[in-house]
Amino acid sequence: MIRILIADDQDLVRLGLRTLIDSEDGMACAGEAVDGLAAVAAARRERPDVILMDIRMPGVDGLVATQRITSDPALAATRVIVLTTFEHDQYIFDALRHGASGFLLKDTKPADLLNAIRSVAQGDALLSPSVTRRLVREFVTAVPRTGIPHPALDNLTNRERETVTLVAEGLSNDEIAERLVISPATARTHVSRAMTKLGARDRAQLVVFAYQSGLAK
């Protein structure tokens, strides 16, 4: 059972998400929060598997809440999906940098949202590849890069470096396997090993590491 916490200041949005989640087999709503402060408190109390986090909320916003949640060792197993109304929300890249597992637009189709929740709960994929590729490029190019390689970058094999670069392009494991002419299982292994060596929570942080280190262009 995947337990999901909903954090959004709009009553109708929370109601719609709760109805969708509670009607899906294998999922349950773990609670609701109307702002970032309440979201952090609920996360610590309920220990949900996934949090659907709005960015623009009164008081403590979703970005600050995401940072507090992902930096809490007690919530290491909790994943955050950032929800946004606008494709050009300036906070998306910061949310990823602070540990969010990905983001979705609020007009995402219900079936795609449910699939994204499952993927993030499994730690398996950065969300919405077609949207991710476009938005990550936009926001990453807008943020100054340090050019300083991640200290553990030298621990990656050449194939793992290739894999991280492809993850940064928004490719799924199946697409990486096709590009590198390897099996999907081998692609998953390379991604998993790279995450372990770099200390990444998920694929989203691999993207951040790749761009900040100059591995991805």
Side-chain angles (χ1 to χ4, degrees):
M1 180 67 68
I2 302 173
R3 300 176 65 252
I4 300 106
L5 174 68
I6 301 166
D8 197 292
D9 63 330
Q10 297 183 34
D11 294 344
L12 284 176
V13 172
R14 294 198 312 277
L15 176 60
L17 290 172
R18 174 184 277 276
T19 301
L20 176 66
I21 289 167
D22 284 341
S23 65
E24 184 70 11
D25 290 340
M27 293 188 186
C29 183
E32 300 179 14
V34 298
D35 58 37
L37 190 62
V40 175
R44 289 171 175 164
R45 182 177 64 252
E46 300 295 338
R47 306 293 176 88
D49 300 298
V50 176
I51 300 175
L52 298 179
M53 181 77 75
D54 186 22
I55 284 289
R56 297 178 179 177
M57 294 184 288
V60 174
D61 66 19
L63 180 60
V64 174
T66 295
Q67 185 176 18
R68 292 181 184 178
I69 290 168
T70 58
S71 63
D72 187 341
L75 297 174
T78 296
R79 298 289 182 259
V80 177
I81 298 175
V82 169
L83 294 175
T84 180
T85 304
F86 306 102
E87 291 192 17
H88 300 286
D89 192 322
Q90 63 181 333
Y91 298 117
I92 290 178
F93 181 73
D94 284 338
L96 293 176
R97 183 166 55 85
H98 288 308
S101 294
F103 58 87
L104 286 175
L105 302 179
K106 284 188 176 179
D107 62 359
T108 296
K109 294 180 180 180
D112 291 337
L113 173 60
L114 294 173
N115 287 334
I117 290 173
R118 293 189 186 92
S119 294
V120 169
Q122 296 170 356
D124 186 44
L126 190 62
L127 308 180
S128 299
S130 61
V131 175
T132 296
R133 290 167 188 157
R134 181 175 75 255
L135 293 184
V136 166
R137 280 197 296 267
E138 289 182 9
F139 287 105
V140 169
T141 54
V143 176
R145 303 185 192 184
T146 63
I148 301 174
H150 188 284
L153 204 60
D154 289 340
N155 294 333
L156 299 182
T157 65
N158 289 336
R159 183 45 60 92
E160 287 167 353
R161 281 173 174 257
E162 287 180 299
T163 301
V164 172
T165 301
L166 295 177
V167 169
E169 291 182 17
L171 271 63
S172 66
N173 286 337
D174 288 345
E175 291 170 327
I176 291 172
E178 184 177 353
R179 180 78 66 87
L180 297 180
V181 195
I182 56 178
S183 71
T186 299
R188 284 194 295 273
T189 297
H190 288 321
V191 172
S192 178
R193 288 177 178 170
M195 287 171 56
T196 299
K197 290 179 180 180
L198 295 175
R201 284 171 57 99
D202 48 41
R203 296 169 74 100
Q205 283 200 327
L206 279 186
V207 174
V208 175
F209 293 153
Y211 278 99
Q212 288 185 330
S213 299
L215 194 59
K217 306 299 183 181

